Amino acid sequence: MSEAERGQKQHHHEHEQEQERHGNGHAHPVFDRDYWEDRYGQPGRAWSGRPNAALVAEVAQLAPGRALDVGSGEGGDALWLASRGWRVTGVDISQNALDKAAALAREQEDVDPAHLTWQQADLTEWSPTRASFDLVTAHFMHLPPTDRERLFPALADGVAPGGTLLIVGHDVDALPGGAGKHGDPGMLFTVGEVVGRLSPDSWRVDVAEVRPRDMTGPDGEVWHVADVVVRATRREG
C-alpha cells in the first residue's frame, strides 16, 4: 500500500486503536499538519478509544508517575494511563486530535482531566525535556529514517532514571502482503534499530521482540501481522 493509500485506509481498520503516528510528513508533503488537522476535524472519532494492547501488557505492572504519550491522537492511551493514576502529557501534531482527547477526558468518570496535559508539536522537530518522565511511550509512530534517527534518542533522553521507555511499531517484514505493498518500508523499523540506540551503560532492555498477532481488516478478513515491542529501563545513577 502506498503512503497515500495507507492514509485513506487506516481509518477503516477494525483494529483502530493502532494509531499510525506521524510527524509533519517531510517525506510525503501531503501528510503535513493541515492533513491531520482536517482528518481529526471530521465529525466523530477516527479510533476506538481503547488503549493499545502492548501498552496494557507492558505498563499495567508499573507504579504510576509522570508519563509522556508521543503521537497521542484522540487520547486512547493517555486516558487509560490517567485512569490508572499517571499524570500524562499527550503530544500530537494535530490540535483537533488533542481537543477531541481533552473532551473525551471530561466525559470519563475514571479520569481526572487535571492529570492530563495536551501539547501540539511537530514530532520531527520537538524533543521532551531531558529526564523528566517516568514513562515515555510511542505506538505505531512511523517516520522516515532521518526523523527516527533524531527522535528515538530524544525520547530516550526524556526518561528519568529508573523510568521506562516503550516503543511499538509494525515489524517491517510482517505487514499483510509485505511492507512494499502495505507501506513504505523506510517508514517502519526493527527491534534492532530501537535497541541499537540504547547504550547498555544507561539502559536495561527488558523486552525486545517481534510479537505476532491477528488483525481484522475492514471486510472481515484476518491478517497475520507482527509488532516490534521494545521496553527498556533507564539505569539509576
Side-chain angles (χ1 to χ4, degrees):
M1 183 186 296
S2 70
E3 191 65 11
E5 288 170 330
R6 181 168 62 180
Q8 293 167 359
K9 291 188 70 174
Q10 66 185 357
H11 171 74
H12 301 290
H13 287 169
E14 290 182 9
H15 203 78
E16 60 268 81
Q17 68 264 37
E18 292 181 1
Q19 300 179 42
E20 300 291 341
R21 316 296 179 92
H22 296 260
N24 68 353
H26 286 164
H28 305 276
V30 68
F31 293 97
D32 57 7
R33 181 180 176 184
D34 288 343
Y35 170 85
W36 292 107
E37 293 292 12
D38 181 71
R39 171 101 178 250
Y40 283 116
Q42 300 301 313
R45 292 204 312 239
W47 313 107
S48 69
R50 298 188 299 272
N52 280 291
L55 178 74
V56 175
E58 299 300 328
V59 172
Q61 77 278 11
L62 299 180
R66 301 156 297 170
L68 173 66
D69 182 21
V70 182
S72 55
E74 294 168 318
D77 286 355
L79 269 62
W80 179 82
L81 288 166
S83 73
R84 299 182 65 85
W86 292 84
R87 292 184 175 271
V88 187
T89 298
V91 178
D92 199 275
I93 194 170
S94 169
Q95 187 62 50
N96 284 332
L98 297 172
D99 290 345
K100 285 186 175 182
L104 186 59
R106 292 191 292 270
E107 297 171 2
Q108 295 194 357
E109 294 182 357
D110 61 345
V111 173
D112 183 351
H115 288 180
L116 289 151
T117 300
W118 307 106
Q119 181 179 349
Q120 188 280 324
D122 179 346
L123 298 178
T124 66
E125 300 174 352
W126 171 89
S127 297
T129 303
R130 192 175 187 281
S132 55
F133 295 96
D134 303 299
L135 169 68
V136 173
T137 175
H139 282 68
F140 304 102
M141 183 187 61
H142 298 140
L143 295 167
T146 53
D147 289 329
R148 295 198 304 270
E149 185 176 358
R150 187 204 68 82
L151 182 60
F152 281 2
L155 298 184
D157 283 346
V159 180
T164 298
L165 175 70
L166 176 63
I167 295 181
V168 179
H170 293 303
D171 180 54
V172 68
D173 296 321
L175 284 179
K181 180 179 179 182
H182 289 269
D184 176 357
M187 302 285 281
L188 308 182
F189 51 87
T190 65
V191 168
E193 179 181 342
V194 180
V195 173
R197 292 193 169 102
L198 301 176
S199 167
D201 292 336
S202 301
W203 291 92
R204 184 188 74 234
V205 177
D206 303 302
V207 176
E209 64 186 37
V210 175
R211 188 171 295 173
R213 60 177 173 79
D214 291 337
M215 185 169 101
T216 304
D219 300 320
E221 69 272 34
V222 176
W223 297 332
H224 301 291
V225 298
D227 298 330
V228 169
V229 180
V230 175
R231 175 169 58 84
T233 302
R234 179 177 284 280
R235 298 186 188 277
E236 305 267 3

